[in-house]
Amino acid sequence: RGDDDPLTRLARDLPDSYLAATPPERVVEELGRLVRLPATGAFATARWQPETSTVAVSIGTREQAASGIFHRVPGSLTSQRLEILAADIHTFAAGHVLDHFTAVDPDLAGEPPAERLAASAAAARAASLGDRPPEFAPRWNPFAPQVKMAPQPVRGTFDNLSSQRATILEVFAHDAPGLLYGVSRAIYDAGLSVQAAKIGTYLDQVVDAFHVTTA
């Protein structure tokens, strides 16, 4: 392809974090879908990952439509009763955005049915295009065991030294439904933009790191 080809330009702008976290065949698929998106368009996919028994959700959009996406999509996945284990956001210089979420489905053992994955993808896409508070759905499997844990205090730290372009906000908390939605919504309401994020869940503890800037 020539240097002026949109796919070539996008490929040259791939963040290292995206390449490290994404299988090559998915890179090709997602870049192809990104370059075909209209300015206010979005796509979302949900895949079963048998090697880790997790669900991978990918959302692609353009910056024109991406304001607040990082709190809306986690809210939509939580409303589908998915528990988010990890998340990575990737903002390309050309104005494209790709968000990846890794989640588990506590209501099911093994691979979710196709309609369950389709519903999760549809909810993520709808959330990326419009801002509505999440409506938490009934349990997919009402007979699945429920685990109740005592709430723990949340601790946050700010780091203005490690990055030349952003403030790094780290949040340490006991895992709870909707935690990522609540934290990311608070960041959005404070007028901050998330340039990059790394979400990690270790047993019942969450360590979230957000690279944030002001307008």
Side-chain angles (χ1 to χ4, degrees), residues 46 80 82 105 108 111-123 140:
Q80 295 295 309
L82 293 179
D105 192 332
L108 298 170
E111 182 175 0
E115 60 269 23
R116 176 81 159 135
L117 294 174
S120 298
W140 182 268

Side-chain angles (χ1 to χ4, degrees), residues 92-146:
F92 298 76
H96 298 83
V97 176
L98 268 174
D99 290 359
H100 291 160
F101 296 88
T102 302
V104 294
D105 192 332
D107 292 340
L108 298 170
E111 182 175 0
E115 60 269 23
R116 176 81 159 135
L117 294 174
S120 298
R125 183 180 183 277
S128 71
L129 296 174
D131 191 5
R132 289 197 316 170
E135 298 178 1
F136 297 103
R139 297 171 64 83
W140 182 268
N141 176 7
F143 301 105
Q146 300 185 50

Side-chain angles (χ1 to χ4, degrees), residues 17 20 24 28 38 45 52 69 75 81 87 90 111 120 125 151 171 184:
S17 57
V28 174
T45 61
T52 56
I69 186 176
R81 286 200 43 77
H90 313 281
E111 182 175 0
S120 298
R125 183 180 183 277
V171 178
S184 54

Side-chain angles (χ1 to χ4, degrees), residues 65-215:
S67 176
I69 186 176
F70 195 62
H71 75 265
R72 298 198 303 266
V73 172
S76 72
L77 297 180
T78 302
S79 75
Q80 295 295 309
R81 286 200 43 77
L82 293 179
E83 295 180 0
I84 299 173
L85 299 180
D88 292 285
I89 70 170
H90 313 281
T91 301
F92 298 76
H96 298 83
V97 176
L98 268 174
D99 290 359
H100 291 160
F101 296 88
T102 302
V104 294
D105 192 332
D107 292 340
L108 298 170
E111 182 175 0
E115 60 269 23
R116 176 81 159 135
L117 294 174
S120 298
R125 183 180 183 277
S128 71
L129 296 174
D131 191 5
R132 289 197 316 170
E135 298 178 1
F136 297 103
R139 297 171 64 83
W140 182 268
N141 176 7
F143 301 105
Q146 300 185 50
V147 179
K148 294 184 178 180
M149 298 180 178
Q152 299 292 323
V154 177
R155 180 168 60 91
T157 64
F158 294 91
D159 177 2
N160 278 317
L161 300 178
S162 299
S163 173
Q164 294 182 346
R165 298 183 177 181
T167 292
I168 301 175
L169 165 63
E170 287 190 307
V171 178
F172 304 84
H174 194 86
D175 196 15
L179 176 66
L180 179 56
Y181 169 78
V183 173
S184 54
R185 180 59 193 253
I187 292 173
Y188 176 77
D189 288 343
L192 301 177
S193 175
V194 179
Q195 300 301 314
K198 187 68 176 180
I199 309 303
T201 303
Y202 310 94
L203 297 177
D204 58 352
Q205 299 297 310
V206 173
V207 181
D208 296 350
F210 305 91
H211 292 236
V212 299
T213 63
T214 61

